[in-house]
């Protein structure tokens, strides 16, 4: 079958760009050209362009992979998103990406785009571990490989913060306004975090640049939500049937989609609100809600699934006992939340259970279980600290930590930037205090959790039961 391209005839059942792609010019550079961006921000932009057209085409940048870039180029930068639910499948061909580039092959072109006055916004989805965030100081981890490389050779960056700083440096030298930096990763107050990292790296090379960014830059925070499993051969076969063409970058996802954005942009933005995005003054209540209710319970489900041999989230949710555990975790975590404007939290939790149970979404527990040291601090640790401070037991948080430790102990190879430290801790576990080596990992657990002997004893009891069971 022929490859998807701009000349592919799509049936009326396929949603397609409602604007003239030939007239679309780039205005956004997106760093992190993975599945989530293409099923989320690129879809919002595609929809927004159909409502209010403008120069907001996306240039997608993959810092490492070249395959996705080559595939998209071969398809005129088009790809399909298959939305799946019990009601059936539907297909959309997304046209908001106008170019794709690889940091491996196209560094100079990427930097030229960042310096181009036509680029108004840089959006980011690179996962938590890619930023080089020091969990202790909250600033740059200068031992992080890309951070170290970019501090040493700032004009030839390899990491996301290095690219942003070099791009801003070129604009500063040219007398241009900075671009807006919009982080879309699961970090609390993600805009503030990226702003700090950017200013710190800029200050290491030029204090005047750091001052300019501090005074003129914009780093709005955002909260994103959509479950996007890793694509498979089945995904591609399903897409081929629905769109009538071969699509090597097809994705599948759920119907639910959410984007909450702090409305602080230097040089305009697409009309994302026309696609359903919510613009607010303060994103923090929404991101805390998502991190603690969705992401926190997702981690519980993932480690439970890995320990019980259940491949997908839907498999875990097929066991009533495990559904009850997920609900119990949400009910504990929701007590740490302030009211969230426009959100009924009880309905939100019911909606999460329904989304997790979606029988058509093959979201691997292994995929969610990776990078625990980067995810658990904001998903679990922060809520546990607040629960304990209010006199609660943080029992479910203790259970998630116990599941994670048991997972690290029982899994031969784990995908985590601190994997060596975790496996070393697992090798030192003792029957009387199995969690102690993990609580000794520098900068991982908050001090208040490390010093709470009663809560740590609760973690140990749960580890014992999980390992014995």
């Amino acid at each position: 079958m022929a490859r998807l391209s701009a000349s592919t005839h799509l049936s009326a059942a396929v949603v397609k760009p409602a604007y003239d792609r030939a007239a679309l010019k780039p205005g956004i550079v997106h760093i992190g050209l993975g599945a989530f961006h293409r099923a989320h921000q690129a879809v919002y932009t595609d929809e927004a362009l159909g409502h209010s057209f403008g120069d907001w085409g996306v240039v997608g940048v993959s810092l490492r992979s070249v395959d996705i870039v080559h595939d998209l180029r071969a398809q005129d930068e088009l790809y399909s998103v298959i939305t799946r639910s019990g009601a059936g499948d539907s297909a959309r061909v997304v046209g908001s990406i106008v170019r794709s580039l690889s940091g491996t092959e196209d560094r100079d072109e990427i930097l030229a785009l960042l310096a181009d006055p036509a680029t108004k916004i840089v959006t980011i989805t690179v996962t938590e571990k890619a930023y080089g965030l020091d969990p202790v100081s909250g600033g740059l981890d200068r031992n992080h490989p890309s951070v170290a490389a970019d501090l040493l050779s700032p004009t030839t960056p390899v990491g996301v913060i290095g690219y942003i700083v070099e791009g801003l440096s070129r604009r500063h030298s040219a007398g241009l306004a900075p671009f807006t930096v919009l982080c879309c990763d699961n970090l609390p107050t993600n805009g503030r975090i990226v702003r700090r990292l950017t200013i710190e790296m800029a200050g290491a090379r030029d204090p005047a640049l750091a001052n300019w960014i501090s005074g003129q830059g914009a780093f709005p925070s955002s909260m994103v939500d959509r479950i996007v499993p890793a694509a498979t051969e089945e995904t591609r076969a399903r897409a081929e049937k629905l769109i009538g063409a071969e699509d090597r970058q097809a994705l599948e996802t759920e119907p639910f989609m959410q984007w909450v954005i702090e409305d602080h942009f230097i040089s305009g933005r697409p009309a994302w609100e026309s696609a359903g995005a919510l613009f607010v003054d303060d994103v923090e209540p929404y991101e805390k809600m998502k991190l603690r209710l969705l992401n926190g319970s997702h981690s519980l489900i993932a480690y439970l699934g890995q320990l019980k041999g259940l491949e997908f989230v839907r498999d875990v949710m097929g066991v009533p006992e495990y559904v009850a555990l997920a609900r119990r975790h949400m009910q504990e975590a929701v007590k740490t939340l302030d009211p969230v404007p426009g959100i009924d939290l009880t309905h939100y939790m019911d909606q999460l259970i329904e989304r997790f149970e979606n029988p058509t979404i093959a979201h691997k527990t292994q995929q969610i279980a990776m990078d625990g040291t980067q995810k658990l601090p904001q998903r679990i640790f922060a809520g546990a600290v607040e629960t304990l401070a209010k006199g609660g037991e943080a029992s479910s948080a203790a259970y998630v930590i116990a599941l994670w430790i048991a997972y690290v102990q029982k899994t031969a190879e784990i995908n985590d930037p601190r994997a060596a430290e975790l496996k070393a801790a697992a090798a030192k576990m003792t029957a009387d205090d199995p969690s102690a080596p993990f609580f000794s990992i520098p900068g991982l657990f908050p001090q208040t959790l490390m010093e709470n002997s009663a809560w740590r004893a609760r973690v140990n009891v749960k580890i014992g039961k999980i390992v014995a069971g």
Side-chain angles (χ1 to χ4, degrees), residues 238-249:
R238 190 173 293 113
E240 184 173 308
K241 182 177 179 181
L242 287 168
I243 68 173
E246 180 189 3
D247 179 4
R248 296 182 189 172
Q249 287 300 325

Side-chain angles (χ1 to χ4, degrees), residues 9 11 19 70 77 81 93 104 130 142 154 157 166 178 255 258 271 293 300 336 356 376 387 391 429 438 442 447:
H9 176 73
S11 74
Y19 51 89
H70 294 169
E77 311 295 351
V81 176
V93 170
T104 304
R142 296 183 179 235
E166 175 60 13
Q258 188 176 39
L293 296 181
L300 181 153
T336 70
F356 295 161
L376 293 176
T387 299
M429 289 173 66
F438 291 87
Q447 195 68 26

Side-chain angles (χ1 to χ4, degrees), residues 12-59:
V14 178
V15 178
K16 52 191 76 67
Y19 51 89
D20 181 4
R21 284 193 78 227
L24 183 59
K25 298 178 182 178
I28 301 170
V29 171
H30 180 82
I31 302 176
L33 189 58
F36 184 81
H37 165 70
R38 291 184 294 115
H40 189 274
Q41 298 99 37
V43 173
Y44 272 99
T45 304
D46 194 60
E47 183 72 20
L49 288 167
H51 289 276
S52 179
F53 188 77
D55 294 338
W56 296 114
V58 179
V59 178

Side-chain angles (χ1 to χ4, degrees), residues 183-243:
C183 177
C184 302
D185 276 306
N186 285 323
L187 293 166
T189 63
N190 51 20
R192 277 180 274 176
I193 287 174
V194 174
R195 180 180 186 274
R196 176 176 174 177
L197 297 178
T198 300
I199 291 171
E200 187 174 333
M201 183 173 284
R205 62 187 285 185
D206 181 1
L209 174 62
N211 289 336
W212 178 74
I213 295 170
S214 178
Q216 303 296 320
F219 297 80
S221 291
S222 75
M223 183 272 269
V224 297
D225 188 6
R226 198 174 204 187
I227 294 171
V228 187
T232 63
E233 288 302 323
E234 289 76 13
T235 304
R236 289 178 275 277
R238 190 173 293 113
E240 184 173 308
K241 182 177 179 181
L242 287 168
I243 68 173

